[in-house]
């Protein structure tokens, strides 16, 4: 039996080893084995272009929505702080605090749900 590293008896190599050897020799010789990609028909290319632009638009909207939600939460926190500090000297009834925080959470969840359902509709 030949040494696995030797090249003296290539006929007795197992098929996988032969394939790996051929690929390595082809790569060393500068052959990639890749065939050119065929051109797509205009309808398929148009669908791919539409999908790409829709994906880019969704990413842009997602970034803007996240930024705007962060700003909205920050503004709500500042207004709540000013109300608590200047308005009632930190004697805030529990119902007001619960209502305020609950409304902010509901608003954020509502915006995210509406936007994501509008942006990420199932494909036809």
């Amino acid at each position: 039996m030949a040494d696995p590293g030797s090249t003296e008896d290539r006929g007795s190599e197992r098929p996988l080893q032969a394939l790996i050897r051929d690929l390595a020799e082809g790569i060393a010789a500068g052959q990639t084995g890749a065939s050119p990609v065929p051109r797509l028909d205009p309808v398929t290319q148009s669908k791919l272009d539409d999908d790409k632009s829709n994906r880019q638009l969704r990413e842009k909207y997602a970034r803007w929505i996240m930024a705007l939600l962060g700003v909205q939460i920050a503004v709500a926190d500042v207004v709540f702080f000013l109300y608590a500090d200047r308005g009632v000297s930190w004697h805030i009834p529990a119902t007001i605090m619960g209502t305020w925080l609950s409304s902010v959470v509901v608003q954020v969840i509502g915006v995210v749900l509406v936007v994501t359902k509008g942006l990420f509709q199932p494909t036809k």
Side-chain angles (χ1 to χ4, degrees):
M1 179 172 203
D3 180 5
S6 72
T7 57
E8 54 190 57
D9 188 16
R10 291 187 176 181
S12 65
E13 290 181 10
R14 289 181 279 170
L16 181 59
Q17 289 174 332
L19 177 63
I20 292 171
R21 180 188 38 75
D22 291 343
L23 287 174
E25 289 173 358
I27 291 171
Q31 302 168 351
T32 61
S35 59
V37 177
R39 285 217 169 267
L40 298 174
D41 63 283
V43 173
T44 305
Q45 186 63 47
S46 175
K47 287 179 183 179
L48 286 174
D49 292 342
D50 285 346
D51 288 345
K52 182 179 178 182
S53 64
N54 284 340
R55 186 172 39 256
Q56 290 171 343
L57 182 63
R58 288 174 182 163
E59 289 173 1
K60 183 178 178 180
Y61 272 115
R63 277 189 240 109
W64 272 102
I65 289 167
M66 293 304 291
L68 291 174
L69 283 175
V71 169
Q72 191 272 334
I73 290 173
V75 168
D77 289 346
V78 168
V79 170
F80 187 73
F81 177 80
L82 291 174
Y83 168 75
D85 189 48
R86 306 252 195 281
V88 292
S89 299
W90 294 99
H91 299 292
I92 306 166
T95 55
I96 291 177
M97 188 179 291
T99 303
W100 186 280
L101 295 174
S102 299
S103 65
V104 170
V105 169
V106 167
Q107 180 181 4
V108 168
I109 291 172
V111 168
V112 168
L113 285 176
V114 167
V115 169
T116 54
K117 280 189 177 246
L119 284 179
F120 302 104
Q121 295 177 354
T123 56
K124 297 173 186 172

